Amino acid sequence: MDTPATGRPRTPYRRRLLGRRLPVLLGAALVLALLGPFGTFADLTLAQRLAYWIGLIGLGGLAFELLTLAAARLLRDRPEAWRALLAGMALAVAAPMTLAVALLERSLRGKDMLHPLGLAELFVYVVLITLLVSAIPVWLELRDRGLLAGPTPPPAPPTPDNAPASPAERPEPAFLARLPARLGRDLLALEMEDHYVRAHTAEGSDLILMRLRDAMAELAGLEGMQVHRSHWVAAAAVAGVERKADGKLVLVLRNGLRVPVSRSYAAAVREAGWAEKAGP
């Protein structure tokens, strides 16, 4: 800003923007106006400093926000690339902001920074302020998307004490208890719909108020996998596979439901042998 269900924010965008980012940006602008770093305290009045820093912080925040929205789709498909994406976004914001500061300094305080050395110096200042101002909002965003969790430890090798139980001895996955009785227990797939999960069974479907990542955590012991940021499929549900013109896979389930496979999960689907299943 992955375990299969990370990368999608849990908190609505409006709440993240108004409740987290805007207060931090306004607070940072106020602090910078009061402290007056980089000579602004001596050269500008308090009102001028407020306008100066609110304008710059607001412009930088807007640029960062637009880049964040543009990168959201890539982040959903490749959540493991969030570090490189974040670094690239910071540099992409800092470059035009450096030019904006140089133009502002020349027009407001008569300082000519539009030369290589001056721009390099300003770039360092802009990157520093960008990192300080964005640290808290970025940390909150990454935590909200579940991207700050540590790596999952590898499973312990089987021993007489922890050897896998036979199918008859395995407890029923906890998620199945959430299904309405009319849907039975033959779970075919899960589909994310906003804050709900739509559970598809051989008997029909229904919405359950929970996150997809939490639902998958309750399916331990049931063979299946996440095939898309919004879909989980049971292995026994796959009746066939179709290939679209662009090369992407579509799983055809026993009940006729078609589930898209994103490119980030395609290799796992092939390794599981699902791609070799003949279509209906």
Side-chain angles (χ1 to χ4, degrees), residues 172-257:
E172 181 181 76
F175 178 80
L176 298 184
R178 299 178 181 271
L179 297 175
R182 62 181 176 81
L183 293 184
R185 291 293 187 266
D186 186 8
L187 182 64
L188 305 180
L190 299 178
E191 180 179 1
M192 182 168 61
E193 293 187 14
D194 294 326
H195 300 293
Y196 292 83
V197 166
R198 179 172 294 279
H200 297 273
T201 74
E203 304 299 326
S205 70
D206 203 350
L207 289 173
I208 298 174
L209 181 58
M210 66 187 308
R211 296 176 298 178
L212 178 62
R213 63 181 298 180
D214 295 333
M216 291 191 301
E218 293 187 358
L219 287 174
L222 183 61
E223 187 179 359
M225 72 172 75
Q226 186 172 15
V227 299
H228 186 277
R229 66 183 180 86
S230 302
H231 297 275
W232 176 95
V233 173
V238 181
V241 179
E242 297 176 347
R243 186 181 298 274
K244 298 170 66 176
D246 59 3
K248 291 185 178 180
L249 302 177
V250 176
L251 301 177
V252 182
L253 307 191
R254 286 191 277 112
N255 65 343
L257 182 68

Side-chain angles (χ1 to χ4, degrees), residues 117-151:
L117 186 60
L119 290 174
E121 180 182 355
L122 277 180
F123 184 78
V124 173
Y125 291 148
V126 169
V127 170
L128 178 62
I129 291 177
T130 299
L131 293 177
L132 291 175
V133 172
S134 62
I136 293 178
V138 167
W139 179 80
L140 290 172
E141 183 75 9
L142 293 175
R143 188 184 66 172
D144 194 63
R145 290 176 178 270
L147 294 170
L148 294 180

Side-chain angles (χ1 to χ4, degrees), residues 43-56:
D43 296 341
L44 304 175
T45 65
L46 177 59
Q48 289 174 326
R49 295 198 303 273
L50 278 171
Y52 181 96
W53 288 111
I54 288 177
L56 286 180

